[in-house]
Amino acid sequence: MASLLPLRSCLSFFLFFLVAIQPVTAVWPAPKNFTKGNTVLYLHQAVKITYNGDPLSYTYGYVPRDITSKEVVQAGVSRTLDGIFGSKFVPWKLHKPGSQFEPDLHKGQKWISTFEIVQTAKDKPSTFKPLAGEVDESYKLSVSAEGAAKLTAASSIGILRGLETFSQLFYQHSAGTFWYTPYAPVEVEDSPQFPHRGILMDTARHFFPVEDILRTIDAMSWNKLNRLHIHVTDSQSWPLVLPSMPEVSEKGAYHPSQTYSPTDIENIQRYGAIRGVEVYFEIDMPGHIGVVALSHPELIVAYNELPYHWWCAQPPCGAFKLNSTEVDKFLEKLFDDFLPRVAPYAAYFHTGGDELNKNDSMLDDGVRSNSSDVLQPLLQKFIDAQHGRVRKAGLTPVVWEEIPLEWNITIADDTVVQAWLGEQSVKKLTEKGLKVIDSNYNFWYLDCGRGQWLNWDNGAAFQLGYPFNDWCNPTKSWRLVYSHDPVAGLTPEQAKLVLGGEVAVWSETIDSTNFDTLVWPRASAAGEVLWSGRIDFATGQNRSQLDAAPRLNEFRERMVLRGVRSSPVQMTFCTQGKPEECEYAP
Ligand SMILES: *[C@@H]1O[C@H](CO)[C@@H](O)[C@H](O)[C@H]1NC(C)=O
Ligand SMILES: *[C@@H]1O[C@H](CO)[C@@H](O)[C@H](O)[C@H]1NC(C)=O
Ligand SMILES: *[C@@H]1O[C@H](CO)[C@@H](O)[C@H](O)[C@H]1NC(C)=O
Ligand SMILES: *[C@@H]1O[C@H](CO)[C@@H](O)[C@H](O)[C@H]1NC(C)=O
Ligand SMILES: *[C@@H]1O[C@H](CO)[C@@H](O)[C@H](O)[C@H]1NC(C)=O
Ligand SMILES: *[C@@H]1O[C@H](CO)[C@@H](O)[C@H](O)[C@H]1NC(C)=O
């Protein structure tokens, strides 16, 4: 083995040298394998495109008629070219002031003549609502120096991932209507590290209009993120319209305007499916559901009980009664209404289960206890019943980690557990053989570090609360987000059970006005960890901020130009400078 060492260090020197002399190529997230040259090729709106041999014409803003392979690919091509030709990305922010970074138009143009798209296998119904690992998202992309582009994938979702990579090779020339890539010949071979790469959006603390959700789905697809988890209800509000029980949102929504109709829900899910983003829902229970008391007070205990911290984690408190046939009937009706509507577009349904406070059942005439010995069997029965309903609807249940770890509830093998409570959670869950989605709050809670939302009156409370940091302070910067490896410290067997992760965007102090700037580009950082891996397998090392920052700077510009208000990564001095000017060297 020792004899290999000099060779390896020689190789890595060579790789470093190669990277150092090439222009920055900002594909985000980083593809598994990527080689490029420095031939300039131009792209024309009339480029000849084929899909499995048939001509495919480019129509601006193409809206697919249905969710079939052909329509999904046609719409993907349209979005890709709309993005290249429409976003007007002249990358002056990424080059030294005054430098000649653009190709000379007087030297003539070599054009990309053909773009051949080949799908090597047939899509299945599950392609558009896959369980983790059920769809092959890998793709190969090449652009020859002579101008032949080719994209190959086994599924239409793989085609979408490759199209996104293709779009990130191009810039607009400042002279106007010329679009070029300076990187030909290009060879990309790419596939995701984790099958579940998501964002949790909370529409209960603040309501988000449908257009915010759709814009988020767009940005997710650019980041190769593929799961939008909508935490659609909580104790504060119930925006979800249930045709079978309209009173729940009539009483529970913040305002009649702050609701999602069945059509809204279907439009959101379809919009996602067409972009390879599966939208799935969570109705958190048996805690975090106080709002149901406004329409069905007989089902809820401890509604708005004070002081709230004896009864729940956040006001207003309120939990389902755990020993009530009325609750069971309500949930049967709720699930019969909602699950058949979401099942055509999702593989998962999240039943929550976090932060259930044992004291609540003290106020429940049917229980009158806060002892685990009494509550645990009731909760087991509750979870079994709800998960049975989820499965009957053709969906797979997801729960928060407290259900197996704090309450020792037995859950079936299919169930996915979302971990959030820190370093040991993923380890403990995978040791039990459970499938995991990682949302470690120390890294991937994007709401953290922006202060308390509760008020603290003058006097003792003020002293206690000062300086009003929130519970999960500090802010998770993109660098901290990027440093997290969901499989760190696990055995290979345990690591296989980690399906991926989600960044969480709890919305107590987040609404339409600041959502984009808080989520992007930090969710992009998690996106690269989940798509490309925290460890770069080419080097065996953690991915470096020095490699990531220039690419993220560029990708951030693309997101802004495509209509998402991503925060900046670094100041323009850094994006235009030598990287070492903005590097801390001890
Ligand atoms: C339950 O309430 C008691 C006060 O009656 C309180 O001391 C205790 O901390 C509460 N338990 C929880 C888990 O909040
Ligand atoms: C649940 O309710 C039933 C009857 O409604 C009662 O017989 C039973 O003791 C209750 N269980 C607990 C744990 O309180
Ligand atoms: C149960 O209730 C008793 C009496 O209020 C309280 O002292 C105890 O802390 C509670 N236990 C839990 C787990 O909250
Ligand atoms: C769950 O099991 C652990 C360890 O066996 C135990 O400490 C804990 O009290 C149990 N919790 C419940 C709610 O039964
Ligand atoms: C991808 O890159 C790795 C190392 O960087 C190399 O071992 C592998 O052969 C490459 N695969 C292809 C298909 O180029
Ligand atoms: C990667 O970074 C983590 C800290 O985030 C560190 O514990 C680990 O040792 C690093 N791994 C390698 C291979 O350098």
Side-chain angles (χ1 to χ4, degrees):
M1 287 306 281
S3 67
L4 279 178
L5 276 175
L7 175 62
R8 196 190 276 167
S9 44
C10 174
L11 248 183
S12 58
F13 173 76
F14 180 62
L15 280 176
F16 175 76
F17 183 68
L18 261 185
V19 170
I21 59 166
Q22 292 198 336
V24 171
T25 314
V27 175
W28 189 280
K32 284 254 152 62
N33 280 48
F34 188 8
T35 60
K36 63 185 190 294
N38 49 21
T39 299
V40 175
L41 291 176
Y42 291 79
L43 185 67
H44 196 277
Q45 314 210 357
V47 61
K48 191 164 161 274
I49 307 168
T50 59
Y51 172 51
N52 291 341
D54 298 331
L56 191 155
S57 61
Y58 163 44
T59 317
Y60 177 83
Y62 187 83
V63 178
R65 285 182 294 260
D66 46 38
I67 306 179
T68 56
S69 312
K70 170 91 199 312
E71 291 290 304
V72 164
V73 169
Q74 169 100 45
V77 167
S78 163
R79 288 193 306 277
T80 302
L81 298 183
D82 293 354
I84 294 171
F85 299 126
S87 59
K88 299 189 167 59
F89 183 31
V90 178
W92 59 265
K93 263 193 204 174
L94 310 171
H95 297 273
K96 288 199 177 318
S99 65
Q100 292 298 318
F101 62 85
E102 296 188 297
D104 183 351
L105 291 174
H106 298 297
K107 285 189 176 158
Q109 283 78 44
K110 206 162 149 190
W111 296 90
I112 293 182
S113 52
T114 55
F115 188 13
E116 189 187 352
I117 299 170
V118 178
Q119 190 179 330
T120 57
K122 276 205 155 50
D123 288 328
K124 293 171 257 180
S126 66
T127 300
F128 304 106
K129 50 166 215 168
L131 286 168
E134 232 178 353
V135 61
D136 181 350
E137 295 179 89
S138 67
Y139 67 91
K140 281 189 205 174
L141 173 68
S142 62
V143 183
S144 76
E146 291 69 43
K150 183 169 182 179
L151 172 59
T152 311
S155 72
S156 55
I157 305 303
I159 302 275
L160 297 184
R161 304 299 176 237
L163 285 169
E164 178 54 40
T165 299
F166 180 77
S167 78
Q168 293 181 23
L169 300 173
F170 291 90
Y171 306 98
Q172 179 164 323
H173 198 287
S174 58
T177 51
F178 285 95
W179 295 269
Y180 66 95
T181 178
Y183 305 126
V186 174
E187 292 280 350
V188 182
E189 199 170 339
D190 199 10
S191 59
Q193 196 62 32
F194 295 98
H196 187 112
R197 309 177 302 276
I199 294 183
L200 180 161
M201 205 168 169
D202 166 11
T203 60
R205 274 52 176 260
H206 270 104
F207 177 81
F208 289 88
V210 171
E211 64 185 41
D212 288 345
I213 301 177
L214 302 188
R215 190 178 62 254
T216 301
I217 290 171
D218 274 316
M220 289 177 70
S221 72
W222 310 332
N223 283 274
K224 299 188 171 75
L225 290 164
N226 66 354
R227 294 288 189 279
L228 179 62
H229 165 179
I230 301 186
H231 180 93
V232 66
T233 61
D234 209 297
S235 272
Q236 290 77 13
S237 83
W238 186 287
L240 181 67
V241 174
L242 300 169
S244 66
M245 296 188 279
E247 69 280 6
V248 185
S249 63
E250 278 166 12
K251 298 262 171 63
Y254 283 131
H255 181 266
S257 66
Q258 312 280 287
T259 54
Y260 302 113
S261 69
T263 312
D264 291 337
I265 296 290
E266 183 169 14
N267 287 345
I268 290 167
Q269 285 189 298
R270 277 182 65 93
Y271 195 88
I274 287 159
R275 287 158 179 77
V277 177
E278 181 176 328
V279 181
Y280 76 103
F281 291 88
E282 173 185 1
I283 297 184
D284 200 349
M285 63 182 80
H288 283 281
I289 200 133
V291 68
V292 168
L294 300 179
S295 52
H296 296 260
E298 70 285 2
L299 307 181
I300 300 292
V301 280
Y303 182 61
N304 215 359
E305 207 62 46
L306 293 170
Y308 78 86
H309 48 89
W310 285 356
W311 311 95
C312 67
Q314 172 183 86
C317 297
F320 274 137
K321 293 181 178 172
L322 285 177
N323 189 24
S324 152
T325 50
E326 295 307 308
V327 167
D328 195 60
K329 279 188 203 144
F330 174 86
L331 286 172
E332 179 166 35
K333 209 164 164 188
L334 165 63
F335 282 176
D336 279 350
D337 180 325
F338 194 42
L339 299 188
R341 292 195 273 124
V342 297
Y345 304 101
Y348 296 102
F349 188 81
H350 201 312
T351 61
D354 56 325
E355 300 183 317
L356 175 62
N357 188 305
K358 297 188 171 80
N359 279 345
D360 292 355
S361 291
M362 299 267 270
L363 305 179
D364 180 355
D365 284 333
V367 185
R368 290 274 172 212
S369 170
N370 69 357
S371 146
S372 293
D373 295 343
V374 175
L375 300 181
Q376 203 273 354
L378 293 173
L379 187 59
Q380 179 75 58
K381 212 173 132 199
F382 180 88
I383 296 286
D384 288 346
Q386 305 335 317
H387 284 192
R389 289 176 173 136
V390 169
R391 290 190 189 93
K392 208 177 97 205
L395 293 153
T396 294
V398 186
V399 290
W400 290 104
E401 67 168 85
E402 287 97 320
I403 291 298
L405 290 185
E406 185 187 331
W407 290 91
N408 302 337
I409 300 298
T410 305
I411 48 178
D413 280 352
D414 61 340
T415 310
V416 177
V417 184
Q418 186 160 15
W420 67 285
L421 283 165
E423 311 316 332
Q424 292 311 309
S425 301
V426 173
K427 181 106 189 138
K428 284 187 213 155
L429 291 164
T430 54
E431 270 169 3
K432 285 175 174 276
L434 296 167
K435 296 193 189 82
V436 178
I437 301 168
D438 182 23
S439 296
N440 186 329
Y441 78 90
N442 290 310
F443 297 91
W444 284 5
Y445 266 36
L446 301 188
D447 51 305
C448 296
R450 299 163 42 258
Q452 284 277 0
W453 62 272
L454 287 160
N455 300 323
W456 307 72
D457 200 0
N458 288 338
F462 188 96
Q463 297 309 323
L464 191 68
Y466 191 86
F468 317 110
N469 288 331
D470 56 49
W471 68 278
C472 52
N473 201 59
T475 311
K476 318 309 172 199
S477 69
W478 79 264
R479 293 186 179 83
L480 187 59
V481 171
Y482 196 63
S483 75
H484 181 55
D485 186 352
V487 295
L490 303 185
T491 66
E493 280 311 303
Q494 291 165 355
K496 273 190 213 142
L497 292 165
V498 179
L499 305 180
E502 291 178 2
V503 292
V505 195
W506 301 108
S507 67
E508 286 85 354
T509 56
I510 300 176
D511 74 0
S512 265
T513 63
N514 58 351
F515 183 85
D516 283 9
T517 56
L518 287 168
V519 171
W520 310 107
R522 294 185 296 158
S524 306
E528 181 155 292
V529 170
L530 290 166
W531 178 272
S532 319
R534 170 70 181 131
I535 308 263
D536 180 346
F537 286 91
T539 61
Q541 300 297 314
N542 284 324
R543 289 176 188 282
S544 161
Q545 292 170 20
L546 300 190
D547 170 71
R551 290 184 299 108
L552 193 53
N553 279 322
E554 178 168 339
F555 183 52
R556 181 267 177 179
E557 295 305 310
R558 291 188 190 274
M559 288 199 281
V560 171
L561 291 168
R562 292 175 186 180
V564 167
R565 289 162 51 89
S566 168
S567 293
V569 179
Q570 289 183 292
M571 58 180 150
T572 311
F573 170 78
C574 295
T575 68
Q576 284 189 323
K578 298 193 205 114
E580 58 271 24
E581 286 171 344
C582 293
E583 175 186 351
Y584 176 77

